[in-house]
Structure formats: C-alpha cells, structure tokens
Amino acid sequence: MAGLPRETLKWVQSLDLTWQVKVPKWDLTNGYLVAEIMSWYYPKEITMHSYNNGTSLDSKHRNWSLLKNFIKEKKLAIPEEYIEGTIHCKEGAAQLLIEKMFEILTNRSVRKVRGDYERDFTDRAYQEKLPMHARSTATQAIKNNLRITENIADTSLILSQQKTQSIINNHIEARRQQRLEDPSRFNIKPTLGERCLRKAPMQSTSDIGRYEKSTDRQNALSPGKESESRAQTVQFREVKVKQMGTPTPYKASVMATN
C-alpha cells in the first residue's frame, strides 16, 4: 500500500479484513472493504450481507449508496469528493479516504511526511516525475484523468465537455511551463526584443517638472534648512593683494590734472 502513512497502514492490517489491501485505488473502489472497516466500529448498523463484493458499476452504486446514507446518519465528516474519486479510481482519492476514516474512527491524527494529493485527483504529480519524452499527450491525458465510469454514471454531455476542456487546459498550461523551463528542447529562439540591449527609460518632462515642483515646495516650507545647507557647502578663501608704492608729487599732480 504505497502512499499511506505508517500508522494508517498498521491500522488497516490489524483489522483482519477479507483480503489484504494492496492497491487502495482498485481494492476500495466497490465500497465492500470500506463497509467491512466500518462494521468493526459499528457492528449493529453495518451488516455485511447487505453489500455485494462485485466489480460492476451497479454493485459500486448500491454499496456506496448504503454507505452514504450511513455516513449522513452518523454525521461523519468524509468529503463527497473523496467518495466520488474512490468510486471512479482517481489518483490519490482512496488514500485520502482511508486517512480520513482513520482519523474519524480512531480519533487520532495522521502524521504526514509527504505532501497531500491534489484535490482534483489528476496524475500531474506522476507526469512531473517522468522525462519530457515520456509524458502524456493531450489525448492520453484525457484518457488517464477521465474515467469511463464517470460518463456512464452521469450522461450529461455538457458536464463531460467541461471535464474534458479542464483536462486539456491543464495539459496546455503544463506544456507552456515546459517550454519556459527548457526552451532548447523545443528549439525556441529568442526574439529580437530579447536580443537587443535594454536601457533604462528616459525621464519624461512631466516627471522632471513634477520633481522640481516638489523640491520647490519643500524649500518654501523650510527656508532655514536650505540656507544652512548652502552655508555648509560654500567655502571662503582669503585673498592677499600687494599694494603699490606711494606716488611721487609729479605723478600726483599729473593725476589731479587728468
């Protein structure tokens, strides 16, 4: 049972079920083992002769219909998406269902080492582990994430189209992210704008005028600070001037007549 915490795995093995749970996605899909687990804690409410250990879609719906009524009656906090994901063998749904049942029935919390499964129950985590050439195409992604039992259970064409379109959108987004992470694989060449030298944009005249107005306003509000700053920046230096000798009487008379 890969993917289950240790305490949850030990708890399931201690219940002495009809058969050992090896792959939760396939072993819990018909609801028979889920009912058997519930019968250990509610033996009077859950009777195993009411459940069918079959693999058909009708057997699944009959078993899970009884279980849903019981869960609703006992007010057990098991999300509906966990149940629907387990019925249709979605990735990670059965593991989350067992963990939730463990917390409710034993009143103990699960210590998780790994990250939680995605709530949409897709195979995105598995696809990210594969190399680029081994990942699914759009057609394979639809086949992996949209079960045929979902179309049989709900024959609405609009709902089926919405699910398909959501899977395609997720696949396109994943491919776009791959092209950004490894452009050389997809032979993506930089554009002319990416090749050219980027320079900082020049300040416009409006920005310059706005800056001058703000500085003038600040100077008008604090004139004393401006004079102090100017006084600190201006430096004075003493200049020495050599005086000429005193003029003679002749030169003095000539200067007076002129």
Side-chain angles (χ1 to χ4, degrees):
M1 288 196 297
L4 286 177
R6 181 178 178 82
E7 57 268 23
T8 307
L9 180 59
K10 292 174 63 178
W11 171 68
V12 173
Q13 292 176 348
S14 67
L15 294 178
D16 192 18
L17 301 176
T18 303
W19 68 85
Q20 185 180 2
V21 180
K22 296 181 180 180
V23 184
K25 180 173 67 172
W26 304 112
D27 295 334
L28 302 179
T29 180
N30 62 352
Y32 185 83
L33 286 184
V34 177
E36 192 172 0
I37 293 172
M38 291 289 187
S39 66
W40 280 89
Y41 295 88
Y42 301 94
K44 295 182 179 180
E45 291 83 354
I46 300 292
T47 54
M48 293 309 300
H49 63 80
S50 301
Y51 295 86
N52 181 21
N53 188 15
T55 57
S56 64
L57 187 60
D58 293 337
S59 299
K60 291 181 181 180
H61 281 305
R62 282 197 298 266
N63 292 344
W64 281 107
S65 178
L66 295 173
L67 287 172
K68 287 180 181 179
N69 293 334
F70 171 76
I71 291 171
K72 185 177 180 181
E73 180 184 354
K74 294 297 182 180
K75 297 181 180 179
L76 303 179
I78 298 178
E80 182 70 20
E81 62 243 29
Y82 291 2
I83 297 175
E84 294 297 327
T86 304
I87 293 173
H88 301 298
C89 303
K90 292 300 188 73
E91 294 292 336
Q95 285 87 338
L96 290 175
L97 179 65
I98 292 181
E99 291 176 8
K100 195 66 178 178
M101 290 173 59
F102 171 78
E103 293 177 351
I104 294 172
L105 298 177
T106 62
N107 198 19
R108 288 154 52 186
S109 60
V110 178
R111 290 178 292 181
K112 299 179 181 180
V113 179
R114 54 172 176 73
D116 295 341
Y117 286 97
E118 295 292 333
R119 282 299 182 95
D120 54 359
F121 303 129
T122 61
D123 63 341
R124 181 177 59 84
Y126 171 71
Q127 293 293 329
E128 290 179 352
K129 297 177 182 179
L130 298 176
M132 289 286 188
H133 66 275
R135 296 184 182 181
S136 299
T137 60
T139 306
Q140 187 65 32
I142 296 172
K143 183 180 179 181
N144 293 342
N145 299 304
L146 185 61
R147 305 296 181 183
I148 190 171
T149 54
E150 296 183 68
N151 297 329
I152 297 174
D154 193 341
T155 58
S156 175
L157 295 177
I158 297 176
L159 181 61
S160 179
Q161 290 175 358
Q162 290 176 353
K163 292 180 179 179
T164 305
Q165 189 62 44
S166 176
I167 294 171
I168 293 174
N169 292 339
N170 293 337
H171 177 76
I172 293 174
E173 185 63 28
R175 295 288 288 182
R176 184 180 294 111
Q177 187 65 27
Q178 293 173 14
R179 294 170 71 89
L180 293 176
E181 293 175 356
D182 191 5
S184 60
R185 175 178 176 81
F186 298 92
N187 196 20
I188 299 176
K189 298 180 180 180
T191 61
L192 183 61
E194 294 174 349
R195 293 180 181 179
C196 67
L197 181 63
R198 300 299 178 92
K199 295 182 179 180
M202 297 290 292
Q203 289 186 348
S204 60
T205 55
S206 59
D207 296 337
I208 297 174
R210 193 182 302 110
Y211 174 75
E212 291 178 352
K213 290 180 181 179
S214 62
T215 52
D216 294 342
R217 190 182 299 108
Q218 292 176 0
N219 294 336
L221 293 176
S222 56
K225 294 182 180 180
E226 181 184 3
S227 60
E228 292 177 1
S229 61
R230 289 183 177 180
Q232 293 175 359
T233 55
V234 177
Q235 297 180 359
F236 299 94
R237 187 177 61 181
E238 184 179 0
V239 178
K240 296 181 180 181
V241 180
K242 295 182 180 179
Q243 295 184 355
M244 303 295 293
T246 55
T248 58
Y250 174 75
K251 290 182 179 181
S253 61
V254 172
M255 293 172 64
T257 55
N258 294 337

